[in-house]
Amino acid sequence: MKKITAFLLSLLMLLGVFAPATATTVQAKASKNIKVTYTLKKNQKKIAKKTIALKKNATVTDGLKKGWKVNDKGGFISAIDGHKQNNKKKIYWTFTVNGKQVNVLADKKKLHNKDKVVFKLSKYNG
């Protein structure tokens, strides 16, 4: 009887020690990645849309470069998949995150899970 009780006690301790650690490890791995949806528009026409898996704390530029060929310099995006800005015609790439205009460079804006990024190539009327 003492051997069975000792065995059950050991088993319970084993489960108590290892089961929570396993659950915590799985949760930690799951929270290291995020999914962000990118939409590219030229004027009002949608030209591309992708959902991209990224590491936590990734920037807008990180996801954009993972999905498309990008030309950028100092955080400014000048071309995406061959769609280029035109400074003479005042046509530029701008972007929003979750429908809000962002006032920082794309390489500085951190993303969160389920964010929606829209890049738009259009004439600047400012």
Side-chain angles (χ1 to χ4, degrees):
M1 181 75 166
K2 287 183 182 180
K3 287 184 180 181
I4 294 173
T5 304
F7 171 76
L8 289 175
L9 184 57
S10 297
L11 185 59
L12 289 173
M13 287 176 55
L14 182 66
L15 291 174
V17 171
F18 292 112
T22 303
T24 303
T25 303
V26 171
Q27 288 173 346
K29 285 182 182 178
S31 66
K32 288 183 180 180
N33 293 317
I34 61 173
K35 286 188 178 182
V36 178
T37 301
Y38 282 79
T39 304
L40 305 182
K41 293 183 175 183
K42 192 169 186 178
N43 296 312
Q44 296 300 321
K45 184 182 175 189
K46 184 185 341 177
I47 57 175
K49 184 174 183 176
K50 293 181 185 178
T51 298
I52 299 176
L54 299 166
K55 291 182 180 178
K56 195 172 183 180
N57 293 319
T59 65
V60 169
T61 301
D62 294 333
L64 191 62
K65 286 183 173 183
K66 190 170 180 182
W68 295 274
K69 184 176 185 265
V70 176
N71 294 357
D72 69 317
K73 187 171 184 177
F76 289 99
I77 307 299
S78 59
I80 304 172
D81 265 2
H83 300 278
K84 298 178 183 179
Q85 294 187 153
N86 185 324
N87 294 335
K88 289 182 181 179
K89 293 182 179 180
K90 296 185 178 181
I91 296 173
Y92 303 102
W93 279 107
T94 59
F95 72 97
T96 60
V97 176
N98 300 325
K100 296 180 183 177
Q101 191 68 39
V102 179
N103 294 321
V104 297
L105 297 173
D107 66 346
K108 301 291 185 228
K109 177 64 179 166
K110 301 280 186 190
L111 294 169
H112 301 93
N113 194 36
K114 298 183 182 178
D115 276 348
K116 294 181 182 355
V117 179
V118 176
F119 270 87
K120 187 175 175 184
L121 182 64
S122 60
K123 186 166 183 152
Y124 176 71
N125 296 318

